[in-house]
Amino acid sequence: MPKKKYLSAGRVPLILFLCQIVSTLEVPLDLVQPPTITKQSPKDYIIDPRENIVIQCEAKGKPPPSFSWTRNGTHFDIDKDPLVTMNPGSGTLVINILSEGKAETYEGIYQCTARNERGAAISNNIVVRPSRSPLWTKEKLEPMTLQNGQPLVLPCRPPIGLPPPIIFWMDNSFQRLPQSERVSQGLNGDLYFSNVLPEDTREDYICYARFNHTQTIQQKQPISVKVISVDDLNDTIAANLSDTEFYGGKSSGERPPTFLTPEGNASNKEELRGNTLSLECIAEGLPTPIIHWRKEDGTLPANRTFYKNFRKTLQIIHVSEADSGKYQCIAKNALGVVHHTIAVTVKAAPYWIMAPRNLVLSPGEDGSLICRANGNPKPKISWLTNGVPIEIAPDDPSRKIDGDTIIFSTIQERSSAVYQCNASNEYGYLLANAFVNVLAEPPRILTSANTLYQVIANRPALLDCVFFGSPLPTIEWFKGAKGSALREDIYVLHENGTLEIPVAQKDSTGTYTCVARNKLGMAKNEVQLEIKDPTMIIKQPEYAVVQRGGTVTFECKVKHDPTLVPTVRWLKDNSELPNEDRFTVNKDHLVIADVIDHDGGTYTCVANTTLDNVSASAMLSVVAPTPTPAPIYDVPNPPFDLELTNHLDKSVQLSWTPGDNNNSPITKFIIEYEDSMHDAGLWHHLTEVPGTQTTTQLQLSPYVNYSFRVVAVNSIGSSLPSEASEQYLTKAAEPDKNPTNVEGLGSEPDNLVITWKPLSGFESNGPGLQYKVSWRQKDGDDDWTSVVVANVSKYIVSGTPTFVPYLIKVQALNDVGFAPEPAAVMGHSGEDLPMVAPGNVRVNVVNSTLAEVHWDPVPLKSIRGHLQGYRIYYWKTQSTSKRSKRHLEKKILTFQGSKTHGMLPGLEPFSHYKLNVRVVNGKGEGPASPDRVFTTPEGVPSAPSSLKIINPTLDSLTLEWEPPSHPNGILTEYTLKYQPINSTHELGPLVDIKIPANKTRWTLKNLNFSTRYKFYFYAQTSAGSGSQITEEAVTTVDEAMASRQVDIATQGWFIGLMCAVALLILILLIVCFIRRNKGGKYPVKEKEDAHADPEIQPMKEDDGTFGEYRLASASLLLLLSLSDAEYQRPSKKGSRTPSERTVDKAGSDDSLVDYGEGVNGQFNEDGSFIGQYSGKKEKEPAEGNESSEAPSPVNAMNSFV
């Protein structure tokens, strides 16, 4: 917070010598200044390898700085790398790895330098690393069998990614595995069981690793766990000991706790200041242990301590050195207690105590840069100037280095530079740029002139005076045009020039002047201060009790400053009112009808203005209705006995007697009137009065024959109107208002049509209503010309000059006299067509489809009307290629207002055009300018109209095509590219052929037989290449070679192998059938259950029989299909994959599809499945797409190879 200085009353002027804030001044950008880094990429910059690399470096300075980069400590010459570009006007690098190249190539440490004639600023060292989402290592996981009650740890050991993945456990159905005090996931991702239960038996414990940066999920092989009782264990040990891992050997009886993690009685933990400290203790035991935490030498910080994972994890956020110490976790169950002590040491990367700030000095002044940082261990401070270590930088006699401070004495302009302070220890570093700018500048005030400040009375007022100057100016404040410097102790002047009035009063309103002075000059600025009355609630809502089904009204009357507009809204329990018709809000009241129990609560009235707000609340209690019969509620009976008294010229007193309110209090009375002289039979609303009032003084208009009636209103509704009162005719008077909507517009070039909205009979105030219409030319010396008319609302003045401004007045009068003098309005006599065409029409052809047109404006006198704009007519005469001689229709573009240039878009390339320009007023268009001719240059052609491939032979294909429908120039040649595609969708080398422009047929020879080729074909003009058209075709098969292919199904060795396989399956089925009839389990089945690949899970029948037999046959068939797939698997790189980079399900070793019911499920935010991640489309055309990355996000949920 800036320092404040208070001045005693009547002692000294309120002047502040701001010696200490020189470094906080912001140098205006129009003054010369060294560079300042304004934006840069983070120090540890992890990039997405599927997107272009953008390394940010933005800086400001005067002159604008130039930028250069180093990579790994040496100069990075971006001009030598075609994939690297620098954004114009900044140092931001864009590395285009989408077209070619790999992200790994550009790993390294980057640093940006921004330099101008005043110095050089440098960025942090930006470590660029591509994110990685490696695949899980393939491993054979043996099933686990263990006794009920034993502890268990299922390891996850995810692949090391960048950044590290998020770990979660799910089953085959993508459902999150439930966790509790007994079963929970550790910080390392392992799944811990304090003790196992039979319901923990399952074959699909699956650990997933989610790499958020690349939106990829990898999965571990499923782990099978079987929990059995002691009796079941004894029966199966002999049969399964050689085939199944038996997990542990402890007794399943109750036991005291022991720690699964961490091991031993004590451990150490180191954390950095500002991070979150996470301590974990997971214990096993039976019953399940409960974990407690405490700090041995202190208490846990209340507002920063959180417990996670069923209190097994202790987290302390924003740790500092004070959080170092010994923390103890205690695991306890009914059989015992165990302790573990964790010694925590908090280290600290460097952090600022005082970072150096920019320093602005005038020649000959003194100053200093201070750089103070702390850390654990203590950081080392080093200085650089313009990016060079200060020890080897050019010597500056005005500069002296004293540890963390640089002292400047009698500084000169040549000492301007950018200094860098580096504070580093083993845990990190801080780098700060601070410039020293030597300037001689007179004061300037940057706050906008005549800024208006509005403040509520009795609150602080802050008046800004942002300033700059070198030497640093002194600041004075004055009040009033000729006031002296402020000398009262109620004022406070802040270091940044702001004047504070701690308690603003009404007499604080006025003009305040800020004056800044230094030895080079003076500047001042005036601001305005207005003090407003506070908003108050003068009638607050009150506590109310209402029966269910009743109506309740809360009142809230607000008093506010007359120049502020308040808004009043109601809240129920600090939330918006229910959106129901039962709630009605008017100016001062909230009415709730048909109250229900849910309506009970606190209702708050909030009044807001642009400067303040106030509120008041009241409780509503809803009670059950009384058991007595409810009264009959109805609208009131109509009032009666209306009486007029106290008759005056423009008022009369009306009295009445209310009718019965029918058990609902009357809330208001509505008084209506009938004017039998002007609107007989029509009743109009006159006024409303509260329901407690039965007499009111009515304000009336002259020359009206009044009758009155009264309507009573309660919460049920409105009564019928009362009987009409006696009539009362008020005296006539002169009109008190004039006609409105007075206008003067000409309908012809030589007239002026004056129109107005006439007064109603009620507004006439007397008989003989007429209008005095007056006019004269605005710029002439003529007297007013007047005419009196009646019963009309229009008057036409003829014989006027064309489009001349007139002053017009229309005044009402009657037999009594004239209305007040009306204000004059301005009109114009009639418009005529413009006389002159725009001159000096120039055409600048921007490109093949866009031209810019300029013209000189038409003199206003020649426009003869309101200028609507300029209209360009343009049309194509013919194409330069003369292919189309058809005359095209003219096109029109209109440019509003006084614009003298415009753009013509959508032109056809290589064509001749003509245009002319006309000025437009309210009457129409003026004459056209002489036609201007221009020609558009050539553009790139459209794609060839067609491409057909005919006459395929063994080694040749013939291509026929039609030229582009829009050549947009003279075709120079065609380009044909083609490449072979083999049966595994691999793309061969790309061949490029140039074909003369006069050809429409081409034969390719020496092609491979029975090969598919893909063709890319496009035309070219001198402007460049057009859009391409693609096609695929296949050369014919060599019949002799086809006949030599051998059908494997007819080979003797293959038939013998199939017979042996069938015999083996038959024997296995017989053995299994015999074993089952004996009631035992067969070893083959146990081995299959133990060693089965988790990806090949048989669908078991309800009775558990046929699924077992299918496993053997399915395993053999799978082995055959896998061996065949291995034989056919392509080994070439650059194989073509589907366009969305998805991995073919048939070629994937692991797939979520194999573990669940498809990939259309869902993951919730905690990791449960919610569907595929979206990914990027593959680049095309493909010329080889070698990559060693993990699957793309689209395929992340399908591929875990």
Side-chain angles (χ1 to χ4, degrees):
M1 182 177 179
K3 298 180 180 178
K4 301 178 182 178
K5 293 191 177 180
Y6 297 86
L7 300 181
S8 300
R11 292 291 182 181
V12 294
L14 190 58
I15 303 173
L16 179 63
F17 295 90
L18 304 174
C19 297
Q20 299 301 318
I21 68 164
V22 62
S23 60
T24 65
L25 289 182
E26 186 74 18
V27 181
L29 282 176
D30 62 327
L31 295 180
V32 63
Q33 58 186 287
T36 301
I37 301 287
T38 58
K39 182 185 289 186
Q40 57 182 311
S41 294
K43 294 179 181 178
D44 189 9
Y45 186 22
I46 300 176
I47 60 171
D48 190 334
R50 303 161 303 170
E51 297 179 350
N52 286 338
I53 304 172
V54 179
I55 310 177
Q56 290 186 327
C57 180
E58 307 284 344
K60 65 178 181 178
K62 179 77 173 187
S66 60
F67 297 87
S68 62
W69 285 86
T70 62
R71 180 183 174 200
N72 298 327
T74 61
H75 176 65
F76 184 34
D77 191 348
I78 64 174
D79 295 330
K80 292 184 178 180
D81 191 333
L83 299 184
V84 183
T85 58
M86 186 183 295
N87 286 345
S90 80
T92 297
L93 294 183
V94 178
I95 305 176
N96 183 12
I97 62 172
L98 289 181
S99 58
E100 56 180 308
K102 293 184 177 180
E104 291 81 2
T105 306
Y106 294 94
E107 279 193 74
I109 302 174
Y110 293 78
Q111 189 172 46
C112 170
T113 300
R115 185 184 307 275
N116 68 9
E117 63 188 32
R118 288 259 165 165
I122 62 176
S123 70
N124 292 320
N125 285 331
I126 302 169
V127 181
V128 176
R129 298 182 293 168
S131 62
R132 297 181 177 90
S133 51
L135 302 175
W136 226 295
T137 303
K138 294 291 262 186
E139 57 182 329
K140 183 70 174 180
L141 299 177
E142 299 292 341
M144 297 181 179
T145 301
L146 64 164
Q147 186 179 348
N148 183 17
Q150 288 185 259
L152 173 63
V153 180
L154 298 183
C156 181
R157 293 191 288 274
I160 299 175
L162 184 67
I166 297 172
I167 305 301
F168 51 94
W169 289 79
M170 292 198 301
D171 59 15
N172 257 345
S173 302
F174 311 115
Q175 298 300 313
R176 193 73 177 262
L177 294 177
Q179 298 189 21
S180 62
E181 292 179 341
R182 184 179 64 86
V183 183
S184 62
Q185 176 183 314
L187 294 177
N188 64 352
D190 293 349
L191 191 62
Y192 293 86
F193 295 75
S194 295
N195 49 78
V196 295
L197 299 175
E199 56 261 33
D200 296 327
T201 298
R202 64 190 314 144
E203 297 178 350
D204 55 352
Y205 285 95
I206 306 173
C207 181
Y208 290 87
R210 180 168 61 207
F211 299 88
N212 283 346
H213 207 82
T214 56
Q215 296 182 330
T216 305
I217 292 182
Q218 309 288 2
Q219 77 168 82
K220 185 182 178 74
Q221 292 283 85
I223 301 176
S224 176
V225 174
K226 185 174 183 180
V227 181
I228 59 178
S229 65
V230 176
D231 295 338
D232 293 338
L233 182 63
N234 291 334
D235 292 341
T236 57
I237 282 180
N240 295 292
L241 191 57
S242 61
D243 300 322
T244 304
E245 177 186 354
F246 182 68
Y247 192 89
K250 296 184 180 179
S251 169
S252 62
E254 294 186 345
R255 60 191 180 278
T258 59
F259 284 111
L260 296 174
T261 184
E263 298 178 351
N265 296 325
S267 59
N268 297 311
K269 175 76 173 181
E270 187 176 282
E271 190 56 80
L272 288 181
R273 179 181 186 271
N275 290 353
T276 296
L277 173 66
S278 295
L279 303 179
E280 179 181 61
C281 281
I282 301 179
E284 64 91 2
L286 192 65
T288 301
I290 303 299
I291 304 295
H292 298 280
W293 293 88
R294 72 182 185 91
K295 188 177 182 183
E296 290 187 358
D297 50 354
T299 57
L300 296 172
N303 297 328
R304 297 185 292 115
T305 301
F306 301 92
Y307 297 98
K308 306 287 185 180
N309 198 19
F310 307 97
R311 297 186 68 89
K312 299 175 187 179
T313 302
L314 169 70
Q315 285 189 344
I316 301 177
I317 62 174
H318 309 306
V319 293
S320 64
E321 290 85 343
D323 295 315
S324 297
K326 293 184 177 181
Y327 294 79
Q328 191 175 77
C329 63
I330 304 152
K332 182 178 180 180
N333 68 5
L335 277 71
V337 178
V338 64
H339 301 78
H340 183 94
T341 301
I342 305 174
V344 174
T345 303
V346 178
K347 299 291 186 179
Y351 57 91
W352 291 118
I353 296 175
M354 180 183 293
R357 296 186 291 180
N358 293 337
L359 187 63
V360 180
L361 298 172
S362 66
E365 281 193 314
D366 301 336
S368 63
L369 290 178
I370 301 175
C371 176
R372 290 178 185 159
N374 202 359
N376 186 10
K378 184 75 175 178
K380 176 185 176 183
I381 302 294
S382 59
W383 288 94
L384 300 88
T385 177
N386 296 328
V388 177
I390 203 165
E391 295 81 9
I392 62 174
D395 189 32
D396 185 348
S398 66
R399 178 182 67 210
K400 177 184 176 183
I401 303 173
D402 184 11
D404 58 9
T405 303
I406 300 179
I407 302 171
F408 298 94
S409 303
T410 318
I411 199 165
Q412 299 302 317
E413 185 173 353
R414 63 178 178 275
S415 298
S416 294
V418 183
Y419 288 85
Q420 291 83 31
C421 174
N422 185 305
S424 60
N425 65 12
E426 61 187 273
Y427 298 105
Y429 74 93
L430 294 172
L431 178 69
N433 289 275
F435 65 63
V436 176
N437 198 13
V438 183
L439 293 174
E441 283 292 324
R444 60 170 73 180
I445 296 178
L446 307 179
T447 300
S448 300
N450 293 315
T451 300
L452 174 62
Y453 294 89
Q454 295 181 327
V455 178
I456 295 296
N458 299 318
R459 296 190 182 181
L462 296 172
L463 309 182
D464 293 332
C465 182
V466 182
F467 62 93
F468 180 80
S470 182
L472 190 69
T474 60
I475 303 298
E476 282 185 299
W477 279 92
F478 299 87
K479 182 181 180 184
K482 297 182 180 180
S484 58
L486 298 179
R487 296 175 179 272
E488 301 178 19
D489 59 355
I490 64 171
Y491 297 103
V492 180
L493 187 61
H494 295 260
E495 290 181 346
N496 61 1
T498 297
L499 176 68
E500 179 181 354
I501 306 174
V503 182
Q505 303 292 338
K506 278 288 188 178
D507 58 3
S508 301
T509 299
T511 300
Y512 290 79
T513 303
C514 168
V515 178
R517 292 187 177 90
N518 68 10
K519 65 183 181 181
L520 299 178
M522 180 267 287
K524 65 179 181 179
N525 184 49
E526 291 184 351
V527 297
Q528 308 296 324
L529 176 62
E530 291 182 357
I531 307 301
K532 305 293 184 180
D533 292 329
T535 305
M536 295 184 293
I537 298 178
I538 57 176
K539 179 65 176 177
Q540 298 187 359
E542 297 178 351
Y543 172 75
V545 179
V546 65
Q547 293 181 354
R548 190 185 307 122
T551 298
V552 64
T553 299
F554 289 110
E555 187 174 11
C556 179
K557 288 189 177 181
V558 178
K559 179 182 178 182
H560 59 91
D561 191 280
T563 62
L564 299 178
V565 179
T567 59
V568 178
R569 64 191 185 108
W570 288 85
L571 303 176
K572 178 182 183 294
D573 299 328
N574 293 323
S575 299
E576 297 295 329
L577 290 176
N579 186 19
E580 300 179 26
D581 293 339
R582 299 184 300 108
F583 292 80
T584 304
V585 177
N586 54 35
K587 180 180 178 182
D588 297 326
H589 297 85
L590 166 66
V591 180
I592 308 173
D594 194 17
V595 173
I596 59 177
D597 292 337
H598 186 67
D599 293 336
T602 301
Y603 288 83
T604 303
C605 164
V606 181
N608 290 288
T609 69
T610 55
L611 299 180
D612 64 344
N613 66 82
V614 291
S615 63
S617 301
M619 285 285 296
L620 172 64
S621 297
V622 181
V623 298
T626 57
T628 56
I632 299 176
Y633 297 95
D634 202 353
V635 299
N637 293 341
F640 54 95
D641 286 345
L642 274 65
E643 182 181 4
L644 296 178
T645 59
N646 195 20
H647 298 75
L648 300 175
D649 288 348
K650 292 186 177 182
S651 68
V652 70
Q653 181 172 292
L654 174 66
S655 303
W656 64 91
T657 301
D660 191 280
N661 64 14
N662 292 324
N663 299 309
S664 179
I666 295 174
T667 58
K668 65 180 177 179
F669 292 99
I670 301 173
I671 293 94
E672 298 176 340
Y673 73 92
E674 177 196 25
D675 178 9
S676 60
M677 183 183 299
H678 302 106
D679 290 318
L682 295 178
W683 289 90
H684 305 275
H685 182 278
L686 180 60
T687 189
E688 297 179 3
V689 297
T692 57
Q693 186 173 328
T694 59
T695 300
T696 184
Q697 191 75 21
L698 302 177
Q699 300 302 314
L700 309 178
S701 295
Y703 199 58
V704 176
N705 194 16
Y706 282 100
S707 295
F708 302 99
R709 69 182 186 183
V710 182
V711 176
V713 179
N714 65 7
S715 60
I716 308 300
S718 301
S719 71
L720 294 175
S722 68
E723 296 291 334
S725 71
E726 60 179 297
Q727 291 187 344
Y728 176 57
L729 177 62
T730 55
K731 289 184 178 181
E734 66 274 5
D736 51 19
K737 62 188 299 186
N738 286 302
T740 57
N741 297 343
V742 178
E743 292 183 344
L745 297 172
S747 60
E748 297 295 337
D750 60 349
N751 74 6
L752 171 67
V753 180
I754 302 173
T755 59
W756 61 90
K757 180 181 179 182
L759 301 181
S760 65
F762 182 84
E763 297 170 326
S764 64
N765 287 0
L769 177 63
Q770 294 178 300
Y771 303 100
K772 179 184 178 183
V773 183
S774 305
W775 66 92
R776 70 176 177 86
Q777 287 192 24
K778 178 177 180 296
D779 299 325
D781 297 329
D782 298 340
D783 293 333
W784 289 91
T785 302
S786 301
V787 65
V788 176
V789 296
N791 301 320
V792 296
S793 60
K794 178 173 70 173
Y795 184 80
I796 300 176
V797 181
S798 301
T800 63
T802 301
F803 196 66
V804 173
Y806 277 85
L807 294 178
I808 303 165
K809 296 189 294 186
V810 180
Q811 184 179 23
L813 66 152
N814 60 18
D815 293 347
V816 179
F818 286 84
E821 183 69 20
V825 300
M826 191 173 75
H828 283 84
S829 58
E831 299 182 60
D832 205 348
L833 294 176
M835 297 187 297
V836 179
N840 193 19
V841 177
R842 291 95 66 199
V843 181
N844 175 32
V845 177
V846 179
N847 55 40
S848 60
T849 61
L850 181 67
E852 184 176 16
V853 183
H854 290 261
W855 59 88
D856 290 346
V858 173
L860 291 178
K861 290 185 178 180
S862 300
I863 295 175
R864 301 201 296 177
H866 295 285
L867 175 62
Q868 303 292 325
Y870 290 88
R871 190 167 292 159
I872 299 178
Y873 286 76
Y874 66 101
W875 62 96
K876 177 183 171 185
T877 57
Q878 67 176 40
S879 171
T880 305
S881 62
K882 298 185 179 180
R883 292 198 177 189
S884 174
K885 298 184 179 180
R886 179 170 59 93
H887 182 74
L888 300 179
E889 64 180 8
K890 291 184 179 180
K891 296 182 181 179
I892 302 173
L893 277 179
T894 300
F895 299 92
Q896 303 293 333
S898 58
K899 288 191 67 174
T900 58
H901 63 90
M903 306 297 288
L904 302 184
L907 303 177
E908 294 187 16
F910 207 51
S911 301
H912 291 301
Y913 279 88
K914 287 186 179 181
L915 65 80
N916 57 52
V917 185
R918 313 176 191 200
V919 67
V920 182
N921 65 12
K923 192 73 172 178
E925 295 179 354
S929 67
D931 291 349
R932 300 290 295 179
V933 179
F934 66 95
T935 302
T936 55
E938 289 190 68
V940 297
S942 62
S945 300
S946 66
L947 175 63
K948 295 186 294 184
I949 300 171
I950 61 174
N951 301 332
T953 66
L954 282 174
D955 62 350
S956 69
L957 292 170
T958 299
L959 286 74
E960 281 189 353
W961 63 88
E962 293 183 6
S965 57
H966 297 285
N968 295 336
I970 299 174
L971 298 183
T972 58
E973 62 182 4
Y974 292 99
T975 297
L976 172 65
K977 295 181 181 181
Y978 66 92
Q979 57 190 150
I981 307 171
N982 65 16
S983 59
T984 59
H985 300 293
E986 291 178 338
L987 297 174
L990 194 66
V991 181
D992 192 327
I993 297 176
K994 304 296 183 182
I995 300 174
N998 59 353
K999 299 290 186 180
T1000 59
R1001 181 186 180 100
W1002 195 264
T1003 300
L1004 296 175
K1005 299 181 180 180
N1006 298 323
L1007 303 178
N1008 297 330
F1009 65 86
S1010 186
T1011 301
R1012 176 174 293 277
Y1013 287 86
K1014 185 164 186 178
F1015 299 92
Y1016 313 91
F1017 189 64
Y1018 54 88
Q1020 290 178 277
T1021 65
S1022 61
S1025 302
S1027 302
Q1028 70 178 15
I1029 185 172
T1030 62
E1031 189 57 81
E1032 293 187 8
V1034 183
T1035 54
T1036 58
V1037 181
D1038 187 339
E1039 296 181 0
M1041 179 172 291
S1043 65
R1044 291 197 297 271
Q1045 295 179 353
V1046 179
D1047 187 358
I1048 190 174
T1050 62
Q1051 299 301 300
W1053 65 268
F1054 180 82
I1055 296 174
L1057 176 61
M1058 292 296 100
C1059 291
V1061 170
L1063 180 61
L1064 178 61
I1065 294 173
L1066 179 61
I1067 293 172
L1068 289 173
L1069 291 174
I1070 293 173
V1071 172
C1072 293
F1073 183 78
I1074 294 173
R1075 295 275 298 187
R1076 178 169 180 79
N1077 287 342
K1078 290 182 179 182
K1081 292 190 177 181
Y1082 49 95
V1084 174
K1085 190 233 179 232
E1086 295 297 328
K1087 289 188 177 184
E1088 291 165 353
D1089 286 345
H1091 298 289
D1093 191 321
E1095 300 179 18
I1096 310 170
Q1097 297 293 334
M1099 181 66 73
K1100 294 185 178 181
E1101 300 293 332
D1102 295 337
D1103 60 357
T1105 56
F1106 294 106
E1108 299 170 353
Y1109 303 145
R1110 286 197 197 101
L1111 178 60
S1113 59
S1115 300
L1116 288 170
L1117 291 175
L1118 179 62
L1119 288 173
L1120 289 174
S1121 63
L1122 286 176
S1123 64
D1124 187 55
E1126 287 293 331
Y1127 177 78
Q1128 296 181 0
R1129 180 172 299 164
S1131 61
K1132 268 189 177 181
K1133 294 182 179 179
S1135 61
R1136 189 173 73 165
T1137 60
S1139 62
E1140 293 297 328
R1141 287 189 179 178
T1142 57
V1143 176
D1144 189 2
K1145 178 181 172 182
S1148 174
D1149 290 337
D1150 290 79
S1151 174
L1152 284 177
V1153 177
D1154 298 328
Y1155 293 108
E1157 299 177 356
V1159 294
N1160 295 323
Q1162 293 194 339
F1163 281 112
N1164 293 322
E1165 292 182 358
D1166 59 355
S1168 56
F1169 184 69
I1170 61 171
Q1172 298 182 9
Y1173 284 82
S1174 61
K1176 302 179 180 297
K1177 291 189 177 180
E1178 182 180 346
K1179 299 178 283 289
E1180 59 181 18
E1183 297 186 25
N1185 192 17
E1186 180 181 351
S1187 175
S1188 61
E1189 299 175 11
S1192 67
V1194 168
N1195 199 35
M1197 292 306 300
N1198 290 344
S1199 176
F1200 300 87
V1201 178

